[in-house]
Amino acid sequence: MKELTKAEDQIMQILWEIKKGFVRDVIAKMPDPKPAYNTVSTIIRILENKGFIDHHSYGKTHEYYPVIDRDTYRSFFLKNLLRNYFGGKFEQLVSFFAKDNDLNIEDMEEILKHVESDLNE
């Protein structure tokens, strides 16, 4: 799996949200100013070549849908982020976010409670 570019990520976020759609459906969900149809179509073909999406054909029209789910990509992306920016150490990532977001001990304890709860489910 490869990391998505900003434009590819924007389109994937829309496809994950709508589950399936035509190029015009993707464009309709994009903020103004909307990109050209051909631009979105090209990025969708790139995503298909990368294995992120596939399509059903209806004559000359294609309906696209994700084949890589959001959680799978999220896990891949975060592992790369951890490896590339934090030396593969989760502690460094947490420390960075704690400092960057001015988290205090109470905030960190609340986060720990949520993590413990998630692990016990």
Side-chain angles (χ1 to χ4, degrees):
M1 188 179 311
K2 295 180 180 179
E3 280 193 36
L4 298 172
T5 66
K6 185 176 179 180
E8 292 167 351
D9 184 67
Q10 182 181 26
I11 290 172
M12 283 306 300
Q13 294 296 334
I14 292 168
L15 284 171
W16 283 321
E17 177 188 334
I18 66 174
K19 310 286 190 249
K20 61 183 177 177
F22 301 95
V23 172
R24 63 179 153 67
D25 298 323
V26 172
I27 293 171
K29 290 282 193 174
M30 297 179 97
D32 290 326
K34 306 227 185 261
Y37 183 96
N38 286 344
T39 301
V40 175
S41 180
T42 297
I43 296 168
I44 285 176
R45 281 194 305 277
I46 291 168
L47 286 166
E48 194 168 21
N49 288 336
K50 286 184 171 183
F52 279 87
I53 63 175
D54 204 349
H55 72 272
H56 295 293
S57 296
Y58 302 100
K60 293 181 180 181
T61 305
H62 296 103
E63 183 179 42
Y64 297 95
Y65 57 92
V67 293
I68 303 288
D69 65 59
R70 180 181 268 147
D71 286 341
T72 300
Y73 183 72
R74 182 183 310 162
S75 177
F76 164 79
F77 181 82
L78 289 174
K79 285 177 184 173
N80 279 346
L81 177 74
L82 189 63
R83 184 181 65 247
N84 294 333
Y85 292 94
F86 300 98
K89 298 187 190 276
F90 185 72
E91 299 82 9
Q92 289 182 8
L93 171 73
V94 172
S95 177
F96 169 79
F97 280 109
K99 290 176 192 173
D100 195 51
N101 292 289
D102 295 323
L103 299 180
N104 59 35
I105 296 298
E106 291 81 22
D107 295 331
M108 294 299 291
E109 287 174 350
E110 188 66 27
I111 291 169
L112 185 57
K113 286 179 189 175
H114 287 289
V115 171
E116 287 173 346
S117 174
D118 289 344
L119 290 175
N120 289 329
E121 289 181 356

